[in-house]
């Protein structure tokens, strides 16, 4: 008896101190296979870092070993010891209201930890909460005590995608994940609260995702493109950017083939919980027979749902309105209100769904009426409108895109918004969404799918959008969005968690308590410097060095146990080393440019030009840059070995970040010129955007620096920007441009209060993008005509491809006789004059009718 009392006393001291050298996980005598899987997972994760003994035992449990934490893990209805402790401690039973479905309780009781789930998934989340609370060291782990957590998720649907992207495998050159590694990645997020996995219907039961879902009682979702399919040419859809592989549901035979394909796809796989029928982003059809396509689409989905429910009666269905226009949305809402539609569970809001924001992918019309008294504005207002339009019984569910840092639903804008089909653009007070643009230098190195984190912005987006829905199965690709996705799952569990708290939990869980404060600072610094900041070029961004230093110092504070296998810290550190390298290279190139400018200011002689050209030789890496590159390379090798991840930026560092190639070309031209012509060419180097006394300069493609452009809008290329589109030898201002699409009025400049007695001339920078093969065939625009007032200034000017050039013209005196000058561009004959559907596809894939990058209106020199 004395020994038992002494042992109990010593265990009590251990639990109050919170440090243990081993654990015993006690499963219920009637535990289900899923409960046993959770017990095994908990034991595996406790032992994984350092081999701490974690045994699984079944009740009745005799006595713990010295230094052993006893965890009673299970659903109380199937666990006698748990039920007994609930009764002894007068703990209220876990119910669907308290704490709620999928909820759990964690509570210490002397030498024992109670880990009780409301249901099987609740038990999984109890294990996740426990693992986040543990501090696992080399030979022991620490559990804060006393501990009492009783909680359940706030949202019904909480999921994402898992796998490696083509960017990671191709550009990052990583090894492929094993099935075990994919399983590990899924369970990382399941332990954080995820309950739904997106699975691939083509893989069926061979898919590791299906296997993990079954093992742990998770739900499954298939994202299914409703009109994807193959058939004869007469079945083919008129897809919004001209892609093949989609059928027109207005062709009866094609429609029947689509329904049969859907039935065949889902007949051969285990039943899934959800099918998300994708809309416009999966193809759609722009033909006249399908107008409005939303009506055709929703009825097609209804018939597909009926086909699936023949053998999967419990599957629930979502439909997205991605890239649909206002008429499409209206048709869907009218259909849903005609009569009850019990087959449809929820309207899915994803990329291109918002009728009040100009997202990439180009929704073709917008709800301009909702900008009158817009409430909280985008992203909030249209979701409120959707709820008004939906009948009772239909909810909103989300398909949020958190994985691309630019050119995406919630990513940085590639350019300010272009006009939609109706000529509408957002009001000026909504510009903040489109002023979020990526740092110009950093975006040249990294792919759309690159490692990044946005704690502040995504916390705000969650609060603006998720209040209207029942949950989210987000878009993700690999691990480059790790923080964003992890925060999203934690907010789906507890949406009122403060930003600081969710960041603190993340950094503690993944890097340990010692490193967490520094990693938290680093996350905010990363978000800060990724953005382009007017007046603060990358050369002046102190947050890049701060981020690097904080991640480095956090690594020094991490315990050897955590550091040994921490691929995620290595990803953050790679990012820091590479971005510091980029900053140093831009500083080198900026120094070269300034040296050239200073030298040219001394005079226009041949020797000055020769010396200036010599200054433009590619600089060598400094010792610090060599160290940074080597560090990033080493870290990339380590992270690839540990978990098949690496920054693709390591293979794409060498760029002309600031347009030194333009300086080289300008000097070559000056060397061949003489007199006034040479002086003018060299003056552009030292005073590039200066139009001279009484002149005007407009930088096309910007919102703030083109005050004299009265028609036209910034060009966004119509597709994710690839480096081949424009030469890097263009100056940054030459890489952006104003344009028009199929409007009759082209880009137009209006100048007022001019001296009609002065002689005027105008210089333009013109350049057009190179198109990828899939778009190039329909792009017949190469030239444009320029007018000064009613007079032709230049007819059929061929716009250079990729590399810009200058075009200078004298202004006829008659064009400014009243002190006002109007310069307008006109598109070439045959451009944007096809059928409606041909014009739609041309517009959606980046077609331009008129285009101009820069303009200088200058007083002509006296002759």
């Amino acid at each position: 008896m004395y020994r038992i009392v002494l042992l109990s006393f010593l265990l009590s001291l251990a639990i109050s101190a919170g440090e243990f050298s081993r654990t015993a996980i006690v499963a219920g005598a009637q535990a289900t296979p899923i409960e046993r899987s959770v017990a095994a997972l908990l034991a595996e994760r406790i032992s994984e870092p350092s081999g701490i003994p974690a045994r699984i035992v079944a009740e009745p449990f005799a006595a713990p070993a010295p230094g052993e934490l006893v965890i009673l893990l299970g659903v109380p209805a199937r666990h006698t010891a748990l039920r007994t402790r609930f009764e002894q401690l007068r703990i209220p039973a876990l119910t669907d209201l308290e704490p709620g479905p999928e909820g759990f309780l964690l509570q210490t009781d002397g030498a024992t930890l109670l880990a009780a789930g409301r249901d099987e998934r609740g038990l999984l989340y109890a294990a996740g909460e426990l693992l986040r609370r543990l501090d696992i060291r080399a030979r022991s782990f620490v559990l804060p005590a006393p501990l009492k957590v009783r909680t359940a998720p706030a949202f019904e649907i909480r999921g994402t995608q898992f796998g490696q992207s083509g960017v990671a495998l191709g550009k990052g050159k990583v090894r492929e994940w094993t099935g075990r590694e994919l399983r590990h990645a899924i369970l990382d997020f399941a332990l954080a609260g995820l309950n739904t996995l997106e699975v691939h219907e083509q893989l069926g039961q061979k898919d590791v995702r299906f296997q993990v879902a079954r093992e742990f009682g998770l739900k499954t979702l298939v994202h299914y493109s409703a009109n994807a399919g193959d058939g004869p040419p007469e079945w083919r859809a008129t897809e919004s950017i001209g892609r093949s592989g989609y059928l027109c549901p207005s062709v009866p035979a094609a429609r029947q083939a689509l329904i049969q394909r859907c039935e065949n796809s889902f007949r051969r796989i285990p039943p899934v919980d959800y099918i998300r029928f994708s809309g416009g982003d999966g193809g759609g059809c722009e033909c006249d027979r399908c107008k409005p396509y939303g009506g055709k689409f929703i009825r097609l989905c209804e018939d597909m749902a009926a086909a699936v429910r023949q053998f999967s009666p419990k599957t629930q269905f979502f439909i997205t309105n991605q890239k649909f226009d206002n008429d499409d949305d209206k048709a869907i809402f009218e259909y849903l209100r005609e009569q009850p539609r019990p087959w449809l569970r929820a309207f899915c809001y994803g990329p291109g769904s918002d009728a009040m924001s100009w997202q990439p992918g180009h929704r073709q019309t917008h709800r301009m009426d909702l900008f009158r008294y817009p409430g909280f504005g985008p992203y909030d207002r249209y979701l409120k409108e959707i709820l008004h339009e939906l009948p009772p019984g239909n909810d909103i569910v989300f398909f949020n895109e958190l994985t691309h840092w630019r050119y995406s639903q919630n990513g940085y804008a590639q350019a300010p918004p272009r006009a939609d089909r109706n000529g509408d653009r957002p009001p000026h007070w909504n510009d903040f969404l489109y002023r979020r643009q990526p740092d110009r230098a950093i975006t040249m190195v990294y792919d759309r799918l690159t490692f990044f984190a946005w704690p502040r912005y995504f916390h705000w987006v969650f609060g603006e959008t998720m209040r209207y829905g029942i949950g989210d199965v987000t878009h993700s690709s690999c691990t480059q969005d790790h923080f964003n996705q992890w925060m999203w799952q934690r907010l789906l569990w507890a949406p009122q968690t403060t930003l600081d708290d969710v960041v603190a939990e993340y950094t503690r869980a993944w890097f340990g308590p010692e490193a967490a404060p520094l990693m938290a600072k680093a996350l905010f610094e990363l978000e800060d410097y990724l953005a382009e900041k007017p007046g603060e070029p990358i050369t002046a961004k102190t947050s890049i060095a701060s981020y690097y230093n904080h991640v480095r110092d956090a690594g020094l504070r991490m315990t050897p146990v955590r550091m040994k296998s921490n691929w995620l810290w290595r990803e953050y550190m790679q990012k820091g080393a590479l971005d510091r390298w980029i900053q140093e290279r831009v500083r080198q190139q900026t120094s070269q440019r300034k040296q050239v400018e200073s030298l040219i200011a001394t005079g226009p002689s041949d020797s000055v030009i020769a010396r200036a050209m010599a200054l433009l030789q590619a600089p060598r890496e400094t010792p610090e840059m060599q160290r940074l590159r080597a560090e990033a390379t080493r870290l990339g090798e380590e992270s690839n070995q540990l978990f098949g991840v690496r920054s693709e930026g390591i293979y794409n560092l060498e760029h002309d970040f600031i347009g030194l190639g333009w300086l080289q070309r300008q000097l070559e031209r000056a060397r061949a010129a003489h007199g006034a012509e040479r002086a003018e060419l060299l003056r552009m180097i030292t005073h590039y955007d200066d139009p001279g006394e009484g002149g005007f300069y407009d930088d096309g493609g910007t919102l703030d620096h083109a005050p004299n452009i009265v028609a036209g809008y910034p060009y966004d290329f119509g597709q994710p920007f690839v480096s081949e589109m424009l030469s890097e030898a263009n100056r940054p201002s030459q890489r952006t441009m104003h344009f028009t699409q199929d409007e009759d009025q082209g880009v137009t400049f209006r100048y007022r209060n001019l001296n009609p007695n002065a002689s005027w001339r105008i210089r333009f920078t013109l350049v057009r993008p190179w198109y990828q093969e899939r778009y190039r065939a329909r792009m017949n625009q190469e030239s444009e005509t320029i007018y000064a007032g009613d007079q032709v200034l230049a007819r059929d000017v061929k716009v250079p491809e990729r590399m810009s050039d200058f075009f200078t013209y004298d202004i006829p005196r008659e064009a400014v006789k009243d002190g006002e000058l109007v310069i307008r561009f006109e598109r070439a004959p045959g451009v944007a004059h096809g059928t409606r559907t041909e014009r739609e596809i041309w517009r959606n894939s980046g077609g331009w009718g008129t285009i101009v990058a820069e303009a200088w209106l200058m007083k002509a020199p006296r002759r």
Side-chain angles (χ1 to χ4, degrees), residues 398-410:
F398 287 85
F399 176 38
N400 270 308
E401 214 272 50
L402 311 179
T403 201
H404 294 93
W405 75 303
R406 54 183 168 87
Y407 199 79
S408 61
Q409 178 189 14
N410 297 310

Side-chain angles (χ1 to χ4, degrees), residues 582-688:
I582 296 168
Q583 184 180 53
E584 289 304 309
R585 177 64 91 201
V586 177
R587 284 173 174 165
Q588 280 187 320
Q589 293 182 357
T590 302
S591 176
Q592 287 178 281
R593 186 195 69 206
K594 289 180 178 179
Q595 290 179 65
V596 168
E597 291 170 351
S598 296
L599 185 57
I600 292 299
T602 66
S605 68
D606 289 346
S607 63
V608 165
I609 294 173
R611 288 160 57 197
M613 294 178 72
L615 288 171
L616 290 178
Q617 298 301 310
R620 294 182 178 181
E621 286 185 329
T622 65
E624 176 66 0
M625 291 172 67
Q626 292 173 352
R627 186 192 67 78
L628 290 166
R629 186 196 286 264
E631 180 181 26
T633 301
R634 173 181 57 80
L635 290 164
E637 291 295 331
E638 291 175 4
S639 62
N640 183 42
Q641 182 180 13
L642 287 168
F643 199 57
V645 293
R646 172 168 38 211
S647 174
E648 81 292 351
I650 190 66
Y651 300 108
N652 190 35
L653 286 174
E654 297 295 347
H655 291 276
D656 182 350
F657 289 103
I658 65 171
L660 292 181
W662 175 83
L663 268 181
Q664 177 73 26
R665 190 171 60 149
Q666 196 75 353
L667 288 168
E668 289 171 354
R669 288 176 167 179
R671 183 175 57 182
H674 302 281
E677 182 185 2
R678 172 180 282 189
E680 178 65 16
L681 289 167
L682 295 178
R683 185 180 183 279
M684 289 190 70
I685 291 176
T686 56
H687 298 82
Y688 182 78

Side-chain angles (χ1 to χ4, degrees), residues 283-501:
C285 186
E286 298 285 333
C287 80
D288 290 332
R289 291 174 299 178
C290 282
K291 301 299 285 184
Y293 181 72
K296 295 286 185 179
F297 169 75
I298 189 69
R299 288 170 174 83
L300 174 63
C301 293
E302 181 177 33
D303 290 346
M304 287 180 167
V308 171
R309 279 199 165 156
Q310 296 177 77
F311 41 87
S312 185
K314 293 184 179 180
T315 296
Q316 297 183 354
F317 301 92
F318 310 147
I319 59 104
T320 77
N321 69 328
Q322 292 172 256
K323 293 188 184 177
F324 286 1
D325 60 23
N326 294 340
D327 289 341
D328 293 330
D329 285 358
K330 181 180 178 182
I332 291 173
F333 296 140
E334 288 177 349
Y335 157 85
L336 292 176
R337 289 196 300 266
E338 286 175 355
Q339 65 186 53
R341 308 289 185 181
W343 70 271
L344 182 66
R345 173 64 197 283
F347 183 99
C348 186
Y349 178 97
S353 288
D354 186 10
M356 292 181 70
S357 62
W358 276 248
Q359 298 169 355
H362 306 302
R363 184 183 174 101
Q364 298 186 55
T365 57
H366 294 80
R367 287 290 300 273
M368 303 308 293
D369 58 308
L370 299 181
F371 283 102
R372 188 170 185 266
Y373 301 115
F376 288 90
Y379 304 121
D380 173 281
R381 181 66 181 89
Y382 192 53
L383 285 163
K384 187 184 296 183
E385 178 68 14
I386 292 172
L387 281 183
H388 289 163
E389 298 280 3
L390 290 176
N394 291 134
D395 293 302
I396 295 176
V397 71
F398 287 85
F399 176 38
N400 270 308
E401 214 272 50
L402 311 179
T403 201
H404 294 93
W405 75 303
R406 54 183 168 87
Y407 199 79
S408 61
Q409 178 189 14
N410 297 310
Y412 286 131
Q414 185 168 281
R418 69 177 187 175
D420 67 13
R421 183 198 297 148
N422 294 335
D424 290 324
R425 299 175 68 213
H428 74 277
W429 52 261
N430 201 44
D431 284 349
F432 74 97
L433 289 175
Y434 313 105
R435 291 182 183 273
R436 292 186 67 255
Q437 297 192 18
D439 181 277
R440 289 183 177 184
I442 290 175
T443 197
M444 294 174 72
V445 171
Y446 297 108
D447 192 84
R448 288 175 71 208
L449 287 173
T450 197
F451 192 80
F452 77 111
W454 285 346
R456 290 189 181 92
Y457 186 69
F458 276 140
H459 193 273
W460 175 79
V461 170
F462 186 98
E464 291 292 299
T465 59
M466 290 305 304
R467 69 184 70 203
Y468 296 106
I470 58 173
D472 198 346
V473 182
T474 63
H475 178 30
S476 179
S477 298
C478 203
T479 64
Q480 84 286 335
D481 53 6
H482 189 271
F483 170 80
N484 307 327
Q485 298 291 348
W486 199 91
M487 179 175 73
W488 215 257
Q489 296 305 320
R490 298 304 296 144
L491 291 175
L492 287 168
W493 188 281
Q496 294 179 328
T497 306
T498 68
L499 173 59
D500 286 342
D501 283 348

Side-chain angles (χ1 to χ4, degrees), residues 29 33 84 92 143 167 203 251 270 280-281 297-298 481 520 603 804 841 852:
T84 300
L143 173 68
V167 169
L203 298 178
V251 177
D281 196 52
F297 169 75
I298 189 69
D481 53 6
S804 66
I841 295 172
V852 58

